[in-house]
């Protein structure tokens, strides 16, 4: 009943309209220079794969027209061959005009009547220019590497070229970030944001997802993007809970004697919550730095709460003794990466740690080597 009522207004409009007026729906036309009767294919680039929708034969003047019904806004391409195509973002109600060169469609086309396609072109053009400059630097370095065997000169050239290359990466990341923030409801931002590392720009991914999902909740493209962000959203929410300034989540596990020990029992001290394992070589290499810091500041109110991801109790105990981890706060639940603390403190690798103050508030994270020493020197000055 509900669907029938929704259709009635459209039926009335169609019944009362002038039969000579233009019909609603998608329309695509244009002209391509240097055409020689090629087939031009219209294809949808859907989350499930490429779907062929229509095709025409270009006239001798390169003109073409398609009145193909498309069901949803999304990514579509005009293809002459597998290496000669241009990608667009089409909307079901648009009247689009495309011009270009049939011999190099992807690099010569212009588009009118499709705002998202114009934004998509802008992102692609900016990206192509930036990547072209990066490629020049890489080729310069590769040429230099092929003409010398002097390791010192190689290292020197690497350092010289590293700075401009990094600057180009940072410049483009800044451009992409600004583009997405300005166009949080445009499909073109999907092309922009996928060039950015999810780990570094997770909040930007979430912001775009919010904008697109609100505007296009039924889009197959946006549903796919939204579902892909589910785990990142969970991690982002968990990261907020263990951010600097938040209370450190409670940890209670058994110590080497099999007795329960809680992190909260150390309240009143500055505590390094250190996640490690006997099987982790980087952890074992970092342990001397933790031992040094403990011995230097333990008399001033500093302590260590070591949480192991070990699987075997004997290996755990042996590593504690061998590495001279002389503090008494050692715990482990022998669940390896399945330990609840992994999700609780939202980390993907070890060694890692959080530093908490006397009230149990997180004041720093991932302090290793000199960084730990410098932070403690600042606290206990």
């Amino acid at each position: 009943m509900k669907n029938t009522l929704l259709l009635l207004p459209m039926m009335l409009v169609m019944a009362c309209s002038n039969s000579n007026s233009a019909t609603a729906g998608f329309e695509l036309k244009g002209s391509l220079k240097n055409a020689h009767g090629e087939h031009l294919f219209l294809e949808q680039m859907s989350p499930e794969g490429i779907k062929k929708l229509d095709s025409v034969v270009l006239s001798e003047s390169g003109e073409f027209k398609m009145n193909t019904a498309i069901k949803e806004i999304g990514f579509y391409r005009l293809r002459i061959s597998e290496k000669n195509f241009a990608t667009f973002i089409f909307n079901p109600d648009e009247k689009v005009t495309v011009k270009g060169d049939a011999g190099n469609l992807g690099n010569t086309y212009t588009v009118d009547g499709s705002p998202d396609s114009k934004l998509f072109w802008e992102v692609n053009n900016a990206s192509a220019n930036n990547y072209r400059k990066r490629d020049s630097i890489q080729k310069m370095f590769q040429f230099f590497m092929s003409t010398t065997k002097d390791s010192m000169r190689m290292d020197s050239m690497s350092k010289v070229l590293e700075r401009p290359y990094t600057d180009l990466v940072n410049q483009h990341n800044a451009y992409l970030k600004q583009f997405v923030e300005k166009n949080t409801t445009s499909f073109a931002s999907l092309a922009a944001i996928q060039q950015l590392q999810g780990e570094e720009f997770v909040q930007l991914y979430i912001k775009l997802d919010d904008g697109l999902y609100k505007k296009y909740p039924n889009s197959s493209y946006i549903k796919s993007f939204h579902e892909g962000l589910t785990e990142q959203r969970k991690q982002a929410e968990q990261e907020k809970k263990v951010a600097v300034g938040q209370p450190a989540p409670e940890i209670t596990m058994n110590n080497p004697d099999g007795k329960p020990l809680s992190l909260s029992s150390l309240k009143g001290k500055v505590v390094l919550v250190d996640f490690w394992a006997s099987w982790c070589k980087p952890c074992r290499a970092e342990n001397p730095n933790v031992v040094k810091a403990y011995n230097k500041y333990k008399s001033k109110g500093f302590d260590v709460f070591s949480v192991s991801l070990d699987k075997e109790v004997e290996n755990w105990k042996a590593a504690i003794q061998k590495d001279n981890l002389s503090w008494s706060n050692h715990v482990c639940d022998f669940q390896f990466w399945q330990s609840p603390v992994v999700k609780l403190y939202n980390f993907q690798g070890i060694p890692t740690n959080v530093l908490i103050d006397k009230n149990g508030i997180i004041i720093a994270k991932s302090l290793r080597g000199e960084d730990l020493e410098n932070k403690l020197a600042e606290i206990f000055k």
Side-chain angles (χ1 to χ4, degrees), residues 79-110:
R79 177 178 64 83
I80 294 176
S81 70
E82 289 302 324
K83 294 183 178 181
N84 187 11
F85 62 87
T87 306
F88 305 86
I89 300 170
F90 290 148
N91 192 298
D93 296 322
E94 290 178 336
K95 311 294 183 184
V96 184
T97 301
V98 174
K99 295 182 179 180
D101 190 318
N104 187 12
L105 184 57
N107 292 319
T108 63
Y109 80 90
T110 60

Side-chain angles (χ1 to χ4, degrees), residues 12-21:
L12 289 171
V13 169
M14 292 178 67
C16 298
S17 65
N18 187 321
S19 60
N20 293 322
S21 61

Side-chain angles (χ1 to χ4, degrees), residues 48-81:
E48 292 79 30
I50 296 177
K51 300 177 181 179
K52 293 183 179 179
L53 301 179
D54 203 351
S55 67
V56 296
V57 177
L58 293 171
S59 69
E60 287 302 317
S61 61
E63 295 184 351
F64 66 92
K65 185 174 182 179
M66 296 181 185
N67 290 99
T68 309
I70 61 175
K71 297 180 180 180
E72 63 175 335
I73 182 173
F75 292 91
Y76 298 82
R77 73 176 185 178
L78 282 174
R79 177 178 64 83
I80 294 176
S81 70

Side-chain angles (χ1 to χ4, degrees), residues 269-296:
K269 294 183 176 182
V270 174
V271 180
L272 183 74
V273 185
D274 189 37
F275 301 98
W276 75 296
S278 67
W279 47 261
C280 169
K281 290 183 178 179
C283 301
R284 303 295 294 273
E286 181 63 21
N287 276 344
N289 295 321
V290 181
V291 171
K292 180 182 176 182
Y294 174 72
N295 290 333
K296 185 173 182 178

